[in-house]
């Protein structure tokens, strides 16, 4: 077990260590809430250096984006700014991360007091506020030079790369795992051509590359106690990407009626009302920060991102669960089945989703009457 007090003391934090408890969120990193004697508490995180082989570059990305957001929101007072942008605490030696004797990388951020994080959306207001928050993140970073960001997970949302990983995993998988996953494997194969549509537009230069979060699940949005969205967190995966990666991944978690590992597929449905609320907040925050062609593929991106996450989970199952944390037998297969069902539910609602996008865009660019 980690000596969290010793690790915490390597940072220039205000206040002394009192106690720490694990925050049970995330599949990849180990995250702890540290209570201190100072005016704030802190979030101490061990970054998984197996999943992220170049942690120094990852931390540099996080700090660069936070610095940019702080400049954009410099008009806010200090207390409000601390709620809206992640504050990284430097180490005693002046760095942005601490490397312990066992080769583990740690960073420390200021905890947003009174904050709330949702594993699932509970109301249209929460969906709308999440849309505003993620849309604002993309709007504020639209002028950030994405070439300054390191690709900490190469081809993270590149569909052709993920399909290639799936093919390799399938060719080497144990027969029993293939048997259990056969229905999901067939769905993945049948969906290939459709799921490459957006990648081809990106490769042709028709969809621009920008700074994107790349992991916009609802639990990466921090809310106040009255459900006002405050801050985007867990910026480990900030990299160059397409706006669709963030919109689609957010819809994936916000508009599902079930947790992403729910094994009872009858409970997995698509909530069109939450989608409308999220899209309204997102598009309203972005304004003219999105092109017509980008907007045209927003609805499809929800299905695409749900598929690619399901594909990654299926691949991990075939590879004997080496990436996502699991807590039960066939956990990753349950996740993959869940996500593929959600993608199918989205397809049933695709026409309505597209109409909502067009309607919200029309409101945004509605001419002002003199």
């Amino acid at each position: 077990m980690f000596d969290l007090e010793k690790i915490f003391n390597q940072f220039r934090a205000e206040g002394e260590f009192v106690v720490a408890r694990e925050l049970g969120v995330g599949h990849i990193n180990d995250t702890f809430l540290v209570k201190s004697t100072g005016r704030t508490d802190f979030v101490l995180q061990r970054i998984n250096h197996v999943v992220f082989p170049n942690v120094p570059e990852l931390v540099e990305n996080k700090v660069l984006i936070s610095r940019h957001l702080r400049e954009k929101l410099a008009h806010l007072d200090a207390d409000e700014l601390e709620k809206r942008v992640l504050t990284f605490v430097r180490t005693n030696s002046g760095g942005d991360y601490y490397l312990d004797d066992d080769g583990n990388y740690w960073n420390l951020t200021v905890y947003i007091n009174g904050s709330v994080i949702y594993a699932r959306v509970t109301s249209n207001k929460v969906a709308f506020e999440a849309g505003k928050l993620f849309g604002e993140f993309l709007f504020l970073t639209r002028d950030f030079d994405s070439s300054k960001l390191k690709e900490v997970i190469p081809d993270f949302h590149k569909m052709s790369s993920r399909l290639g990983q799936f093919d390799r995993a399938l060719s080497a998988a144990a027969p029993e795992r293939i048997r259990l996953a056969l229905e999901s494997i067939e769905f993945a194969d049948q969906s290939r051509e459709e799921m490459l549509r957006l990648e081809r537009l990106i490769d042709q230069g028709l969809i621009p590359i920008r700074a994107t979060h790349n992991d916009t699940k609802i639990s990466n949005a921090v809310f106040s106690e009255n459900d006002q969205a405050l801050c985007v967190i867990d910026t480990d995966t900030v990299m160059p990407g397409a706006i669709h990666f963030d919109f689609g991944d957010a819809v994936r978690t916000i508009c599902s009626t079930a947790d992403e590992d729910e094994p009872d597929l009858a409970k997995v449905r698509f909530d069109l009302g939450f989608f409308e609320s999220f899209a309204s907040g997102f598009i309203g925050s972005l304004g003219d920060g999105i092109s017509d062609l980008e907007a045209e593929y927003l609805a499809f991106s929800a299905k695409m991102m749900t598929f690619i996450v399901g594909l990654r989970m299926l691949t991990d199952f075939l590879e004997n669960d080496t990436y996502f944390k699991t807590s039960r037998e066939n956990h990753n297969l349950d996740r993959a089945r869940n996500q593929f069902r959600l993608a199918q539910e989205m397809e049933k609602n695709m026409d309505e989703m597209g109409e909502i996008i067009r309607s919200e865009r029309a409101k945004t660019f509605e001419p002002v009457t003199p």
Side-chain angles (χ1 to χ4, degrees):
M1 190 58 186
F2 307 115
D3 186 342
L4 297 179
E5 182 173 4
K6 178 182 177 182
I7 295 164
F8 176 80
N9 288 337
Q10 305 306 310
F11 292 88
R12 300 174 183 173
E14 178 187 324
E16 297 179 3
F17 181 97
V18 176
V19 68
R21 66 173 176 85
E22 187 166 12
L23 291 174
V25 294
H27 297 317
I28 307 301
N29 299 321
D30 296 311
T31 308
F32 304 88
L33 175 62
V34 177
K35 296 287 186 179
S36 82
T37 60
R39 68 178 183 85
T40 64
D41 297 327
F42 298 88
V43 176
L44 180 64
Q45 187 172 67
R46 185 190 72 86
I47 302 170
N48 188 324
H49 57 274
V50 176
V51 172
F52 299 107
N54 196 326
V55 177
E57 289 188 348
L58 177 152
V59 175
E60 182 182 356
N61 284 355
K62 293 165 68 163
V63 172
L64 281 173
I65 285 294
S66 280
R67 189 178 300 152
H68 180 85
L69 292 172
R70 283 181 173 278
E71 290 172 358
K72 290 291 185 179
L73 298 174
H75 58 282
L76 301 176
D77 64 47
D79 288 342
E80 183 67 15
L81 191 59
E82 199 169 81
K83 295 177 183 176
R84 298 288 302 281
V85 184
L86 286 175
T87 302
F88 289 89
V89 181
R90 309 205 82 180
T91 65
N92 295 331
S93 60
D96 293 311
Y97 62 87
Y98 169 65
L99 179 62
D100 69 21
D101 295 337
D102 296 318
N104 295 301
Y105 291 84
W106 299 84
N107 66 205
L108 188 72
T109 56
V110 173
Y111 177 71
I112 302 172
N113 289 326
S115 61
V116 177
I117 293 177
Y118 290 102
R120 285 177 55 193
V121 167
T122 56
S123 68
N124 284 315
K125 179 181 180 182
V126 169
F128 175 79
E129 286 287 321
K132 280 178 57 180
L133 183 67
F134 290 130
E136 181 187 57
F137 178 89
L138 290 165
F139 182 78
L140 293 176
T141 58
R142 72 195 186 283
D143 59 345
F144 183 89
D145 182 359
S146 64
S147 67
K148 294 180 179 179
L149 298 174
K150 308 300 191 299
E151 199 173 5
V152 295
I153 303 181
D155 298 333
F156 188 43
H157 292 318
K158 191 174 180 67
M159 188 64 71
S160 59
S161 177
R162 294 299 186 182
L163 286 167
Q165 290 173 352
F166 163 69
D167 288 337
R168 290 189 293 275
L170 181 59
S171 67
E176 178 61 13
R177 293 218 166 200
I178 294 175
R179 185 188 68 79
L180 289 171
L182 192 57
E183 185 177 347
S184 296
I185 291 168
E186 290 174 350
F187 178 77
D189 278 332
Q190 293 163 4
S191 304
R192 285 174 184 267
E193 194 61 27
E194 178 190 12
M195 293 303 162
L196 287 165
R197 287 164 58 191
L198 189 67
E199 182 178 317
R200 289 180 179 132
L201 292 172
I202 293 171
D203 290 345
Q204 293 168 26
L206 298 175
I207 298 290
I209 295 298
R210 57 173 85 207
T212 46
H213 184 282
N214 294 298
D215 189 19
T216 48
K217 55 180 177 279
I218 187 61
S219 58
N220 282 337
V222 170
F223 293 81
S224 69
E225 291 173 332
N226 65 354
D227 287 339
Q228 177 188 0
L230 297 175
C231 180
V232 176
I233 61 171
D234 197 6
T235 51
D236 291 0
T237 52
V238 166
M239 288 181 286
I243 198 169
H244 306 84
F245 300 163
D246 285 2
F247 181 87
D249 199 34
V251 171
R252 178 182 72 86
T253 59
I254 286 169
C255 301
S256 177
T257 58
D259 294 333
E260 71 177 17
D261 62 352
E262 171 58 59
D264 183 356
L265 299 185
K267 296 180 179 179
V268 182
R269 297 184 303 280
F270 182 73
D271 192 314
L272 192 63
F274 283 174
F275 177 83
E276 184 169 11
S277 296
F278 175 81
S280 176
F282 185 90
I283 292 170
S285 286
L286 263 180
D288 62 358
I290 180 173
S291 71
D292 290 341
L293 184 60
E294 285 177 301
E296 182 182 337
Y297 280 86
L298 284 180
F300 168 74
S301 75
K303 180 182 177 183
M304 182 199 75
M305 288 302 299
T306 304
F307 173 84
I308 202 171
V309 172
L311 185 69
R312 289 170 56 202
M313 291 165 170
L314 176 58
T315 300
D316 199 27
F317 173 76
L318 295 172
E319 293 179 331
N320 302 313
D321 308 316
T322 60
Y323 186 90
F324 296 106
K325 293 179 181 177
T326 58
S327 60
R328 64 174 186 259
E329 189 177 12
N330 299 333
H331 198 168
N332 276 320
L333 180 57
D334 286 341
R335 288 168 171 151
R337 287 170 171 163
N338 177 301
Q339 294 300 285
F340 287 168
R341 172 58 63 87
L342 181 59
Q344 292 169 321
E345 292 296 306
M346 289 176 176
E347 179 58 35
K348 296 175 184 177
N349 289 273
M350 196 57 61
D351 289 344
E352 291 87 346
M353 293 163 67
E355 184 53 43
I356 287 168
I357 296 293
R358 289 187 288 273
S359 175
E360 293 300 330
R361 289 270 288 166
K363 292 177 188 175
T364 300
F365 295 105
E366 205 169 61
V368 177
T369 303

